[in-house]
Amino acid sequence: MGLTTVIGPGATGSYAESDIPLPIAHFAHLVVDAPHGHLFISGGAGTDGILVTDLDGGNPTMLGGEPGATGLALSDDGSALYAALPDQDAIAAIDTKNLTESARYDTGAGTRPDSLAVAGGTLWFGYGTAGAGGIGSIDGAGTVTLRQDQGSWTAAPMLATTPTPSGVLAAAARTGDTSAFVTYRAEGGALTRQAAKALPVPDLNDFAVTADGLHLAVPSLQSASPDRYRTSDLAVDGQFATGVYGKAVAVAPDGTLAAGDRSTMTFPETGDDTYTEYFYDRNLRVAAHGVAWAPDESRVYGVAVDASGGTPTLHISRNPEIAPVTLSASRTTPLAPGEAYSFLMAPDSTLSLGAGQSMIPGTVRITRYDDAHPDGVLVPDPTAVPVRIPANFFGAYRVDGTAPLTGRLSFRVDYSGSGHYGPAGQSFDLPVAKYAPTMALTAPSSAGRAAPLTVTGHLTWPHAHMTTGTVHVVKTDLAHPSGYSVGTAPVAADGSFAFHDTPQAGGTDTYAFTYDGGTSYLPVTASAKVQVSRATPTLSVATDAKSYHANATVKVTAHLGTTYNSRSVTLYAQPAGRSRTQLKSGKVDAHGNLVASYKITRNTTFEAAFTGDYRYAPRTVSTGTTLTPTVRTETQWPLATTRVGSTTYQVFYKSESDMGFDVRVTPHQSGGCVSVYVEHYYSGAWHRTTSQSRVPLYSDGRYGYGRALKLFTNNDHYRIRGHYTPPAKGAQTGSVWSQWTYFTVRPGSPS
């Protein structure tokens, strides 16, 4: 039996930091033989040998003549590699120095040995098939002994022992929803049971014994747990630093663990968190038994496979007990030139601090770079800040200083590393540039003219700042519509300022505040408006009458009382149902009057408007005028007239049958109506005898009223008149009465 060269990875170290495809179809087991510089990798059923590479996964060769090799184990002195050959019912011993098979041990027909472990100076093997299994041994003389455990196994048990020689042996086999575990003391080629128990592991693929032999680590995909199982009684005894997840687990001689599924993760037996974690390609997952430690703990080897168990891929994690450390700074906001700063340099890691530690161990060196120190200057004695929860979990280092007036500012942080924490370095810039603070103002919404007022303000920076610059104030009012400077307001250390004023012009006074930024900041502007009171002027508008007939000329007079610097008034006319028009605008005369004329055609409202001045407020007043329509009346068919005193009466004869009375209104509106009233004189007074109320006018503005003459008393005195009422809504004229028309009715007919 000899070595066969295999085409695969290149020279030693060429794959030191990347995944290494293995030139085998499947994977079964992995053993690290550091003294001889070998990795031994078996492929299981269907293979014809054992893959051998150097410790970097390079220079692959195939140790042929070992068909179907599965479980692997090294002798205590490392001189022999043992390989289980289930299909051969045998175990091969291979010389690790010259890589040749030195012996082959027949374990008996149908035994199918699988898992191997060396404990108490004896090679132990789990053997059997589904439904029946056991533990056998091979002593130094090559004697094979079966059924070393008097208990029964439902399958070939999986074996594990400590990473360095001891008398501790453990066995396990899946039994359905749980797995059966047994621990032993191996001495003199015999096994003594310590404990036996079913543990809640439904998917047993691998397990390991801790370096001190006191506990078991059992990985799982379905029920991963950080529980440690005591070998003496298999009871839960504390927890590992993190959950043992995946299909593989391995223990280093110093007690550090490695486990894997989509990644290979290393972590201390107790404590918190992890050392390192390497993630494989998303199509790969760590294989059962696919994790192994270098004896000096300098490396962890992991083999991952695809979903079908193929494409075995090796990754080597270097310094697996050194947790990575990252560095970050608490400050990234810009600094103004010359501004003082204070910030924290904070380390972070996947591994928590140990009990009683308040700072990450090791030293930190911080170097400042700016235009004055292009090659850097060491920041002397940065202040150590112990752990604060939740601000930082590893302590921090505070740096205080002042930003340069010009140019850049950057830092380099170098952490030495210590213990299980790796070194780290990080460079970062602190932006130095002028920027604008924010400005907020507080001002009264209103104030009295000639009364003092105060506008206060506050400048806010995103962090500590230097006191520099002045606030300039520009005021805009009615007297200064383009604005004028009214002084400055000094800025206090806390960013506050105040401006006092006694406004002389009323109306809207606007105060614009501009912070000039001083030597280090950009300008910023804000404004506040204050409504300053003004006196109410005396203003009136009147017409020379309250009622007019159509096309009459109205004399409109506005009168303005005392004002300050404006004497202008505008007169407007607003005819009912039409838009407002301007009649006249200008200064009032020496008596305070402005006069205009207007030809009225309908009800009209007249307004006088004063736009206001520096000390007197705007004001508008109005007065209404009414257009009185012309009403004409006419009686129909009187045959004569007569006089009664000074009054003329129309004379009707009953032979005429009816008396007619016409009313005509000019102008009139659609919707206007007429009422007709008839009164009878008797007992020394007039009495209403009949009426007709709110009858619509004809389209020509006329209405005709008729009444039978037989209804009137012979030779008595009567009178009649009409009343026009415009529409209730949108009236363009007033209402109006006609004059009385007097009449009498005589019997018969005229002679």
Side-chain angles (χ1 to χ4, degrees):
M1 301 180 184
L3 294 176
T4 302
T5 301
V6 178
I7 298 174
T12 300
S14 63
Y15 287 87
E17 298 300 331
S18 60
D19 291 345
I20 305 169
L22 297 176
I24 54 177
H26 301 285
F27 170 81
H29 214 98
L30 169 68
V31 166
V32 182
D33 176 17
H36 298 99
H38 297 143
L39 297 181
F40 295 105
I41 304 169
S42 62
T47 62
D48 187 45
I50 298 172
L51 178 66
V52 184
T53 74
D54 60 27
L55 295 179
D56 291 320
N59 299 314
T61 57
M62 188 67 74
L63 180 60
E66 307 295 341
T70 55
L72 303 175
L74 286 172
S75 62
D76 283 344
D77 61 4
S79 63
L81 170 73
Y82 299 109
L85 307 175
D87 295 341
Q88 306 296 311
D89 293 329
I91 296 174
I94 300 166
D95 188 310
T96 54
K97 184 176 181 179
N98 56 32
L99 298 180
T100 59
E101 184 177 301
S102 59
R104 182 172 291 198
Y105 305 103
D106 185 1
T107 57
T111 53
R112 301 187 60 81
D114 187 12
S115 181
L116 305 179
V118 176
T122 299
L123 173 64
W124 305 93
F125 61 93
Y127 66 90
T129 58
I135 299 174
S137 66
I138 303 175
D139 62 16
T143 303
V144 175
T145 305
L146 300 179
R147 296 189 59 79
Q148 286 281 36
D149 179 21
Q150 299 305 310
S152 62
W153 291 92
T154 59
M158 189 184 305
L159 304 183
T161 186
T162 55
T164 55
S166 74
V168 177
L169 183 69
R174 192 183 308 176
T175 57
D177 291 337
T178 60
S179 295
F181 281 80
V182 180
T183 58
Y184 307 90
R185 188 70 190 169
E187 292 180 315
L191 294 178
T192 303
R193 278 200 176 202
Q194 301 296 304
K197 191 174 185 179
L199 298 182
V201 183
D203 56 342
L204 181 68
N205 288 285
D206 197 4
F207 75 101
V209 181
T210 57
D212 57 12
L214 299 179
H215 298 94
L216 300 183
V218 186
S220 174
L221 289 172
Q222 298 182 35
S223 58
S225 167
D227 289 343
R228 301 190 309 174
Y229 298 101
R230 197 161 42 213
T231 55
S232 61
D233 58 5
L234 291 175
V236 175
D237 181 31
Q239 294 186 325
F240 294 107
T242 189
V244 187
Y245 185 77
K247 287 186 174 183
V249 65
V251 176
D254 66 356
T256 305
L257 285 83
D261 178 39
R262 296 192 181 279
S263 65
T264 298
M265 179 172 60
T266 61
F267 51 95
E269 181 174 350
T270 59
D272 290 313
D273 302 320
T274 62
Y275 291 133
T276 64
E277 186 168 15
Y278 172 78
F279 287 89
Y280 292 90
D281 180 273
R282 63 187 181 89
N283 295 317
L284 300 177
R285 302 184 78 157
V286 176
H289 313 296
V291 179
W293 283 87
D296 63 357
E297 298 100 21
S298 63
R299 299 181 181 189
V300 164
Y301 296 89
V303 176
V305 295
D306 61 22
S308 67
T311 63
T313 302
L314 174 69
H315 177 79
I316 304 170
S317 296
R318 287 158 171 78
N319 298 316
E321 295 186 10
I322 302 299
V325 173
T326 58
L327 303 170
S328 62
S330 64
R331 186 191 194 108
T332 57
T333 51
L335 287 168
E339 187 173 340
Y341 60 80
S342 178
F343 61 93
L344 296 178
M345 302 286 190
D348 193 12
S349 178
T350 58
L351 182 68
S352 296
L353 293 179
Q357 289 182 301
S358 61
M359 289 288 295
I360 194 169
T363 58
V364 167
R365 176 186 176 93
I366 303 175
T367 306
R368 169 177 166 149
Y369 297 86
D370 54 33
D371 286 358
H373 307 91
D375 297 324
V377 59
L378 190 66
V379 175
D381 302 323
T383 304
V385 180
V387 169
R388 294 201 315 269
I389 305 298
N392 62 74
F393 294 95
F394 294 88
Y397 292 86
R398 192 181 76 241
V399 177
D400 302 291
T402 302
L405 294 176
T406 59
R408 67 188 182 97
L409 176 63
S410 63
F411 292 87
R412 170 72 188 182
V413 184
D414 291 290
Y415 167 62
S416 65
S418 179
H420 291 289
Y421 297 96
Q426 179 69 40
S427 297
F428 66 93
D429 295 328
L430 275 184
V432 179
K434 290 185 176 183
Y435 62 90
T438 58
M439 181 189 293
L441 300 176
T442 301
S445 59
S446 60
R449 193 192 67 78
L453 63 83
T454 300
V455 180
T456 60
H458 194 272
L459 292 165
T460 302
W461 289 263
H463 42 69
H465 63 281
M466 59 190 302
T467 302
T468 181
T470 301
V471 171
H472 303 265
V473 187
V474 172
K475 178 181 175 182
T476 303
D477 57 21
L478 291 175
H480 308 86
S482 299
Y484 70 107
S485 175
V486 290
T488 60
V491 180
D494 65 354
S496 62
F497 57 88
F499 177 75
H500 308 284
D501 189 32
T502 303
Q504 297 302 313
T508 301
D509 286 16
T510 301
Y511 296 87
F513 292 79
T514 299
Y515 170 61
D516 60 20
T519 59
S520 300
Y521 302 101
L522 295 176
V524 60
T525 298
S527 62
K529 295 181 182 294
V530 181
Q531 296 297 326
V532 179
S533 65
R534 287 183 280 179
T536 301
T538 300
L539 180 67
S540 64
V541 61
T543 56
D544 56 348
K546 296 305 290 181
S547 178
Y548 300 85
H549 288 291
N551 296 315
T553 297
V554 181
K555 179 182 178 183
V556 187
T557 303
H559 178 76
L560 179 64
T562 301
T563 57
Y564 180 65
N565 65 309
S566 174
R567 301 294 291 163
S568 293
V569 172
T570 301
L571 284 168
Y572 299 93
Q574 175 82 61
R578 294 187 179 174
S579 23
R580 187 179 74 162
T581 59
Q582 180 178 307
L583 299 182
K584 190 175 184 179
S585 183
K587 290 184 178 181
V588 297
D589 60 21
H591 303 288
N593 296 327
L594 181 70
V595 180
S597 59
Y598 177 75
K599 187 166 286 189
I600 191 169
T601 59
R602 58 182 65 196
N603 294 348
T604 302
T605 298
F606 296 95
E607 293 181 353
F610 172 63
T611 57
D613 63 15
Y614 298 170
R615 298 184 180 180
Y616 285 83
R619 189 178 180 193
T620 299
V621 295
S622 63
T623 187
T625 58
T626 302
L627 179 70
T628 301
T630 299
V631 181
R632 292 181 175 84
T633 60
E634 182 181 4
T635 55
Q636 299 293 327
W637 315 300
L639 297 182
T641 61
T642 186
R643 301 271 300 177
V644 178
S646 61
T647 303
T648 299
Y649 281 75
Q650 305 292 321
V651 179
F652 292 88
Y653 289 86
K654 287 190 176 180
S655 62
E656 295 178 273
S657 180
D658 294 320
M659 181 271 289
F661 180 73
D662 285 349
V663 179
R664 185 179 296 275
V665 180
T666 306
H668 73 283
Q669 280 179 267
S670 175
C673 58
V674 169
S675 298
V676 177
Y677 301 92
V678 178
E679 293 185 355
H680 182 196
Y681 187 83
Y682 58 88
S683 301
W686 290 100
H687 302 274
R688 183 175 297 175
T689 62
T690 186
S691 65
Q692 190 168 24
S693 299
R694 298 186 176 275
V695 179
L697 288 169
Y698 307 145
S699 61
D700 61 358
R702 186 183 69 84
Y703 173 68
Y705 172 80
R707 188 168 179 80
L709 291 172
K710 66 182 180 179
L711 299 176
F712 295 92
T713 304
N714 291 339
N715 298 315
D716 278 5
H717 295 158
Y718 294 90
R719 64 181 181 181
I720 186 170
R721 69 172 176 174
H723 181 268
Y724 170 70
T725 303
K729 185 176 182 181
Q732 298 172 1
T733 67
S735 60
V736 62
W737 288 94
S738 71
Q739 294 182 341
W740 288 107
T741 296
Y742 294 83
F743 67 94
T744 184
V745 179
R746 294 178 181 175
S749 58
S751 56

